[in-house]
Amino acid sequence: MSTTTTRVAVVTGGSRGIGRGVVRRLAADGFAVVVGYAGKRDEADAAVEEVVGAGGRALAVQADVADEAAVAAMFEGAEEAFGGVDVVVHAAGRMTLSPVAELDLADLDALHRTNVRGTFVVAQQVARRVRAGGALVLFSTSVLGRPLPSYGAYAASKGAVEALTAVLAKEWRGRDITVNAVAPGPVATDLFLEGKSPELLARLADEPPMQRLGTPEDVAGLVAFLAGPDGRWIHGQVVRANGGLV
C-alpha cells in the first residue's frame, strides 16, 4: 500500500449519478478525490463542495475520457494537487438505445468512443501512474447477463470492458494493482428515471428479488470494497450489483 497518509482516487463521471455516489463514499472513507467530468462544471463543483463541506479534499477536472491528452492532464492534476494516484474508478459512460436494424452508426461510433476507447485511454494512464497497492474499477452492465432488445450497442461496448478487465489482470501481473468491473442493474439515477412513467418504474423496481431499484450508494459500497484493503484478493473479476437479477 502507499505510504502516504491520504490515498487518492480519480473518479471519471464523478459529477452525477453512480459516479457522484462513488465520490461521496470514497471521500467518506478518507480518500482525496478528483472529480472527473465531461461538460457540466456546476455539477462537478457541487460534488467538490459536498466533499469539502464534510471535511474532505476534492478537485474537479474536466476531461473527455477518450482524449488521451486530456486524461493525462487529469492524472497530472491529481498528482500535483494530492501527490499521486492510488485508485481510479472509471464511471464515465454513454448509453444509446436502439434496435440494431435502426441504429444510427454515428451514434454507435460516439458510444464506442466513450465506452471502449475511453476505457483503454484511462487504463493506459492507470498502468503508467497508479501506485503499488492501487486499484482500477471499471463499469460494465448486468444487461450482459440478461439481454434486452435495443441494448445491442451499449451491451457490445460493455462486453469489451469485461474482456479488457480480464486481459489487464494478466498484463499487470506483479504490479500490485487490482482491476475489476462492477456490473450494475437498474439504478435510480436522474438519467435512469428520466422519461419513464411511474408504471414502468414500478415494474422495473419489482423485477429484482429485492423488489426495488438500486441506489448510487448500493453500487458505491461495492466500489469502495474493491478499492479498499478488504478487496485486495479480488482481481480480474466482474461483480454484478443488481438485487438478484439473473
Side-chain angles (χ1 to χ4, degrees):
M1 293 288 184
S2 168
T3 57
T4 57
T5 302
T6 301
R7 300 187 80 209
V8 180
V10 172
V11 182
T12 71
S15 63
R16 60 186 304 192
I18 292 173
R20 178 75 170 268
V22 170
V23 167
R24 188 181 300 116
R25 173 58 187 267
L26 293 184
D29 287 352
F31 283 83
V33 184
V34 171
V35 179
Y37 70 99
K40 295 187 177 181
R41 177 80 198 200
D42 57 335
E43 293 182 348
D45 286 343
V48 169
E49 290 169 7
E50 183 178 16
V51 170
V52 172
R57 302 169 68 196
L59 170 71
V61 179
Q62 185 176 17
D64 171 359
V65 294
D67 181 334
E68 58 268 42
V71 172
M74 179 171 60
F75 276 74
E76 289 164 3
E79 291 168 344
E80 291 171 3
F82 302 127
V85 179
D86 300 287
V87 168
V88 176
V89 180
H90 182 41
R94 182 190 295 264
M95 179 184 288
T96 296
L97 301 181
S98 169
V100 171
E102 301 167 13
L103 179 63
D104 185 327
L105 294 181
D107 290 340
L108 176 69
D109 291 342
L111 183 147
H112 279 258
R113 183 179 185 275
T114 297
N115 292 4
V116 180
R117 178 188 168 96
T119 302
F120 274 81
V121 169
V122 169
Q124 285 183 337
Q125 291 300 316
V126 171
R128 296 167 185 171
R129 297 176 184 271
V130 166
R131 297 182 284 210
L136 169 62
V137 181
L138 301 173
F139 270 81
S140 180
T141 173
S142 285
V143 171
L144 284 176
R146 191 170 181 267
L148 297 171
S150 80
Y151 278 80
Y154 181 69
S157 73
K158 294 304 185 177
V161 171
E162 292 197 7
L164 184 60
T165 299
V167 170
L168 289 174
K170 303 298 190 299
E171 289 186 350
W172 293 350
R173 182 180 181 86
R175 291 286 306 277
D176 194 21
I177 299 172
T178 62
V179 55
N180 295 286
V182 172
V187 176
T189 63
D190 290 341
L191 185 63
F192 176 81
L193 298 174
E194 183 178 353
K196 292 183 173 68
S197 68
E199 294 77 16
L200 176 58
L201 290 172
R203 181 173 63 80
L204 292 171
D206 191 56
E207 287 183 352
M210 298 292 288
Q211 291 190 303
R212 66 174 176 84
L213 296 174
T215 67
E217 290 71 28
D218 289 326
V219 181
L222 173 57
V223 171
F225 169 75
L226 295 172
D230 292 335
R232 297 307 301 165
W233 198 232
I234 313 300
H235 188 34
Q237 305 301 308
V238 178
V239 186
R240 293 179 184 166
N242 57 24
L245 282 174
V246 294

